Amino acid sequence: MRHRVFNEDGEEELVFVMGWGNRWTHENVSWLIGKLTEAGYRVHAFELPTNIDDFKADWLEPIAEYVLDLEEYQLLGHSAGALIGQALDGADNHVYLSPFWGYGERYSEPLLGGASRVPSTFPCLPAGEFDREALGQEATDHQLATIPRWVSPTFVRETRHAQENLLTIDHDAVVFCSLTDPVISLRPIGHRVPAEHVVLYNGGHELFSSPGRERYVELLLEALEEGADAVEARETVPA
């Protein structure tokens, strides 16, 4: 797992757990990190290994051990990063972007169940099509060219197991998601997060690749600072 700190002189700590396949060299990810550092955060960004044998050992524990050294911090998790984030301790506020708390409808249950039972760590399963329609119109050629195309049966098994054992989501958590996201299931979000704490945007899986991302970044920053109060306050403002 790769880790990098952006804006060493930042006044507040923010842990940003990126999604599967995201890299801080991707222009859209860099755009979001830039917005976070401009807001004064010292950003601790984590790039996830794109294939895992064990959810806890490969994804959760390295980050969980790291945050123990932070006295207080805000948490931002995108997609698979939100699957990890819900199991981390110590964050003041939790903001999740398109949380990967369940597989989307394009991944059939029989296929996922069968793959989970194959005892192989070799990345031999197609990860699915990740194009601008799936991710967002601001996804770049560089990003699309570097997204991995394969995962292993153990990856499917471990992520499904983590999804089945989700902890109670922090009561003040805020979720940004799209109703047209083909990558994740929206059902776990609806079951675990109050509707008034969910912000819907138009686009695909990645808010930072959405054509309307500039309209939402201010609210995202407010949610990191104030939790769900920021979203509830915004909803009371007349259109």
Side-chain angles (χ1 to χ4, degrees):
M1 179 178 297
R2 297 211 306 166
H3 161 255
R4 181 176 172 183
V5 177
F6 294 84
N7 190 25
E8 289 278 4
D9 297 328
E11 298 178 356
E12 292 186 69
E13 312 288 357
L14 184 144
V15 172
F16 177 26
V17 189
M18 294 187 282
W20 182 87
N22 288 147
R23 297 290 178 262
W24 48 66
T25 55
H26 293 160
E27 293 89 339
N28 45 4
V29 177
S30 178
W31 172 86
L32 179 56
I33 292 175
K35 295 295 185 180
L36 297 171
T37 57
E38 288 172 10
Y41 287 109
R42 181 184 298 109
V43 179
H44 306 261
F46 289 87
E47 288 185 358
L48 302 181
T50 55
N51 198 38
I52 58 172
D53 300 339
D54 184 283
F55 172 78
K56 289 185 177 179
D58 297 333
W59 274 2
L60 175 59
E61 290 176 354
I63 303 176
E65 292 176 4
Y66 182 92
V67 299
L68 289 176
D69 292 331
L70 301 178
E71 292 187 6
E72 56 183 36
Y73 68 96
Q74 315 298 351
L75 174 67
L76 177 63
H78 168 62
S79 193
L83 183 60
I84 297 167
Q86 56 84 34
L88 295 175
D89 293 325
D92 292 335
N93 291 313
H94 305 71
V95 176
Y96 300 122
L97 310 179
S98 307
F100 181 48
W101 295 339
Y103 278 85
E105 293 182 358
R106 70 178 183 176
Y107 304 99
S108 69
E109 180 59 32
L111 176 62
L112 293 171
S116 297
R117 292 190 289 273
V118 177
S120 173
T121 60
F122 183 72
C124 57
L125 302 174
E129 186 65 29
F130 291 93
D131 54 17
R132 287 187 176 87
E133 183 176 356
L135 298 181
Q137 293 304 310
E138 296 299 322
T140 65
D141 291 340
H142 174 216
Q143 178 185 10
L144 297 176
T146 55
I147 291 177
R149 302 300 177 187
W150 307 89
V151 295
S152 69
T154 53
F155 176 94
V156 177
R157 181 195 70 205
E158 289 297 305
T159 52
R160 275 166 52 89
H161 180 72
Q163 291 166 352
E164 292 165 358
N165 291 276
L166 286 174
L167 301 178
T168 300
I169 305 304
D170 184 86
H171 75 282
D172 205 30
V174 174
V175 169
F176 289 75
C177 62
S178 168
L179 294 179
T180 58
D181 188 336
V183 178
I184 64 167
S185 172
L186 300 176
R187 189 173 296 109
I189 300 172
H191 286 167
R192 293 176 170 272
V193 179
E196 59 269 23
H197 295 177
V198 177
V199 179
L200 298 177
Y201 65 88
N202 293 323
H205 183 55
E206 297 178 340
L207 174 64
F208 44 85
S209 295
S210 165
R213 61 188 185 180
E214 291 284 356
R215 296 199 304 270
Y216 295 95
V217 69
E218 181 181 350
L219 182 57
L220 187 155
L221 293 171
E222 291 174 1
L224 285 168
E225 188 67 25
E226 304 171 21
D229 287 345
V231 176
E232 295 171 353
R234 178 64 61 92
E235 291 179 342
T236 62
V237 177

